[in-house]
Amino acid sequence: MAKKKSRYVCQSCGYVSPGWIGKCPECGSWSSFAEEIEEPEVSSSSKGARHEPRVKPANLRDVKGLETERTGTGISELDQVLGGGLVKGSVILVGGEPGIGKSTIMLQTAGILTRGNKKVLYVSGEESSSQIKLRADRLGTGTADIQILPTNSLEDVLSAMDEQRYDYVVMDSIQTIASADLNSAAGTVGQVRHVTYRMVETAKSRGITVMIVGQVTKDGYIAGPKLLEHLVDTVLYFEGDYNRGLRILRSVKNRFGPTNEVGIFEMSDKGLIELKDYCFADDTADKTAGKINVPVIEGTRAFLVEVQALVAPTFYQFPKRNAMGIDVNRMNMLLAVLDKKGGLNLAGSDVYVNVAGGMKITETSADLALCAAITSSYRERAVSPKTTFIGEVGLTGSIRTVSNMKSRVAECYKMGIRKFYLPEKVEFDKEIEIVLTRDISSFLDML
Ligand SMILES: Nc1ncnc2c1ncn2[C@@H]1O[C@H](COP(=O)(O)OP(=O)(O)O)[C@@H](O)[C@H]1O
Ligand SMILES: [Mg+2]
């Protein structure tokens, strides 16, 4: 096959160069050039000719709706993240740091999918067949009817897909597969984009479900996949707390379901195990000051997480303020409110705040719980694990209600919490104690 001609295009301004250059002479940005395939010039004679359209507009009323055909993966946490299962002909990107468990979940899923008499191709650019076999034996899918293709060439993958009709294709990982159409090495922006584009094209035209694994570099950026998010239908990210073996799968984009759904797994020697009804909160009922269980909403689910605060006299000229799992600016705002409106003198204290289990809280519903945790640590008075606080704290010291109050309360009740400090009354059919709190100063008096 004749090699296609390629060129280098600046990704920020579109400047074209025949070879790679480090700095764009047009816009001055660095390392912005990516290789792209040069489209053949349209000959001048055909330019004047009348264009024969391949598609014509149709009335929306006459367009037939597409029944999205979903297949369960057999892993209900994964199905939940996908919005109900894998959609035929869709492309799913699974991103995450090395070692988080992308290959593991892909192999586990592939094994389950073959049970429905479906054909599964597992393309591996990172590991040899025997390495995959070793992992599959460990996961208990060693005898599954999966076709393994260890290759780094996109053309090998496409011809394998031509020869045999597959229902599912797993590509592990996008950074290790390169097309001969481009000169650049696997993993470069041009290659990653081109390979994904070809896979999306093939998936859509033949109704194959493609799962693509993408490595995320340590600084949190996906080398490549970040710029693939708009090409694929669904983007899932794996994150987690390495020490506890906890893994959280999160959907950040989904054309066929809600986003920000999370699935929770634990890594074991038998692979990823689903953790249903997982409680991020520490369930040991010891009474230590400065920790509070609070419900947060992720997607459509409520979770209980533990927020911890430590207030200690400072040895520095400026007291230290540190937050893990919570925006440090938000914490500083709450500290200012506690100081000004609540009369809590924190000027001489270091304040540390942490969310247990490696979770991140991005919503404001945990404001009140944070204020309570900080106050609890400051006063050295423990809060009962059966008590929680839900509400957003404003700059004026007022406490406002938050969304999904009922499902938060229900989740807390499930986990044994019976006493709630809330800014509004909540109708709940089980017996709970609600303490109404509308502003921070009276809240601190009540505590
Ligand atoms: N024998 C084993 N027992 C338990 N866990 C293992 C074993 N081998 C590997 N793992 C776990 O699997 C992880 C690697 O998963 P893998 O799916 O290869 O990650 P990725 O593909 O995201 O780089 C390791 O970090 C480790 O936690
Ligand atoms: Mg891997």
Side-chain angles (χ1 to χ4, degrees):
M1 204 173 72
K3 214 174 174 72
K4 289 185 181 153
K5 268 188 90 177
S6 65
R7 58 186 188 169
Y8 290 80
V9 181
C10 173
Q11 300 301 306
S12 50
C13 74
Y15 182 84
V16 178
S17 154
W20 188 85
I21 34 182
K23 186 185 177 190
C24 178
E26 185 75 27
C27 67
S29 49
W30 289 92
S31 306
S32 61
F33 281 83
E35 195 185 18
E36 287 181 5
I37 290 174
E38 208 170 316
E39 296 301 331
E41 281 276 327
V42 184
S43 67
S44 52
S45 63
S46 65
K47 263 185 187 161
R50 194 174 166 344
H51 173 69
E52 269 307 317
R54 276 175 299 172
V55 282
K56 292 205 169 107
N59 197 322
L60 180 62
R61 245 176 304 163
D62 307 329
V63 175
K64 266 221 191 88
L66 187 73
E67 270 295 315
T68 45
E69 199 181 306
R70 281 181 199 273
T71 320
T73 57
I75 303 175
S76 64
E77 290 285 299
L78 179 59
D79 285 345
Q80 165 136 7
V81 176
L82 289 168
L86 292 164
V87 173
K88 196 176 169 193
S90 71
V91 180
I92 298 132
L93 178 70
V94 181
E97 287 181 7
I100 195 94
K102 301 178 296 294
S103 306
T104 307
I105 198 162
M106 286 295 116
L107 202 57
Q108 276 180 285
T109 313
I112 295 168
L113 288 172
T114 55
R115 287 186 207 153
N117 240 347
K118 301 279 193 208
K119 290 250 171 293
V120 182
L121 176 68
Y122 193 103
V123 180
S124 177
E126 291 186 355
E127 290 156 307
S128 66
S129 305
S130 43
Q131 275 175 306
I132 295 171
K133 174 75 177 167
L134 209 67
R135 178 185 291 127
D137 283 339
R138 178 161 60 84
L139 303 179
T141 53
T143 54
D145 196 6
I146 306 171
Q147 297 291 312
I148 303 286
L149 181 66
T151 182
N152 296 103
S153 150
L154 173 70
E155 284 70 25
D156 282 355
V157 180
L158 293 177
S159 57
M161 286 164 80
D162 279 337
E163 263 167 44
Q164 160 86 264
R165 225 203 93 71
Y166 289 103
D167 299 288
Y168 301 99
V169 176
V170 177
M171 184 175 264
D172 187 5
S173 66
I174 187 74
Q175 279 91 356
T176 55
I177 310 284
S179 163
D181 289 344
L182 298 173
N183 294 319
S184 45
T188 51
V189 174
Q191 282 286 7
V192 164
R193 204 170 351 185
H194 181 66
V195 173
T196 310
Y197 182 73
R198 294 294 300 275
M199 291 306 287
V200 170
E201 213 176 39
T202 317
K204 300 278 171 227
S205 63
R206 299 195 207 156
I208 302 170
T209 306
V210 175
M211 287 168 267
I212 297 175
V213 170
Q215 300 286 3
V216 182
T217 49
K218 280 284 175 206
D219 52 11
Y221 232 77
I222 319 191
K226 197 76 199 165
L227 48 248
L228 301 181
E229 287 187 355
H230 64 283
L231 284 179
V232 300
D233 299 305
T234 305
V235 181
L236 309 181
Y237 280 106
F238 240 127
E239 37 191 76
D241 184 346
Y242 283 79
N243 302 332
R244 280 167 56 176
L246 203 68
R247 301 290 194 270
I248 302 160
L249 190 64
R250 185 189 297 273
S251 78
V252 294
K253 166 182 174 174
N254 198 347
R255 285 187 183 147
F256 305 106
T259 50
N260 268 327
E261 286 290 350
V262 292
I264 300 170
F265 300 90
E266 187 182 354
M267 180 63 93
S268 77
D269 56 345
K270 297 267 179 296
L272 288 158
I273 297 168
E274 303 178 58
L275 294 177
K276 287 177 199 151
D277 293 332
Y278 185 71
C279 172
F280 282 93
D282 196 350
D283 41 14
T284 50
D286 71 326
K287 286 198 165 190
T288 332
K291 57 178 230 179
I292 281 164
N293 294 332
V294 57
V296 293
I297 299 275
E298 289 279 359
T300 54
R301 261 166 106 167
F303 288 99
L304 212 56
V305 301
E306 181 184 305
V307 296
Q308 307 165 339
L310 178 70
V311 180
T314 186
F315 297 108
Y316 306 95
Q317 206 151 22
F318 298 101
K320 262 184 132 49
R321 301 284 143 96
N322 215 327
M324 306 257 284
I326 278 177
D327 180 23
V328 72
N329 293 323
R330 188 90 205 157
M331 181 188 80
N332 282 330
M333 188 209 97
L334 293 176
L335 291 177
V337 173
L338 280 173
D339 192 323
K340 179 97 194 249
K341 306 288 173 185
L344 213 62
N345 183 10
L346 296 164
S349 308
D350 291 338
V351 180
Y352 301 90
V353 166
N354 178 41
V355 182
M359 278 290 279
K360 284 192 186 76
I361 299 182
T362 50
E363 44 175 359
T364 52
S365 64
D367 284 357
L368 192 60
L370 263 173
C371 288
I374 292 166
T375 313
S376 155
S377 174
Y378 177 77
R379 294 181 181 162
E380 273 305 321
R381 292 242 299 276
V383 174
S384 157
K386 286 186 170 1
T387 304
T388 196
F389 308 83
I390 311 170
E392 177 183 329
V393 176
L395 279 179
T396 55
S398 63
I399 299 165
R400 279 192 287 178
T401 189
V402 293
S403 62
N404 301 67
M405 201 53 116
K406 213 162 172 182
S407 48
R408 290 175 204 264
V409 171
E411 176 66 22
C412 289
Y413 188 87
K414 220 164 72 188
M415 295 296 173
I417 293 175
R418 296 292 179 267
K419 187 170 178 182
F420 296 82
Y421 284 78
L422 308 175
E424 62 163 8
K425 273 249 174 293
V426 175
E427 296 291 324
F428 195 65
D429 47 10
K430 311 245 174 40
E431 197 178 317
I432 53 171
E433 181 187 349
I434 294 179
V435 184
L436 282 184
T437 48
R438 296 234 163 78
D439 69 282
I440 207 80
S441 63
S442 58
F443 170 69
L444 291 187
D445 294 341
M446 263 189 279
L447 265 188

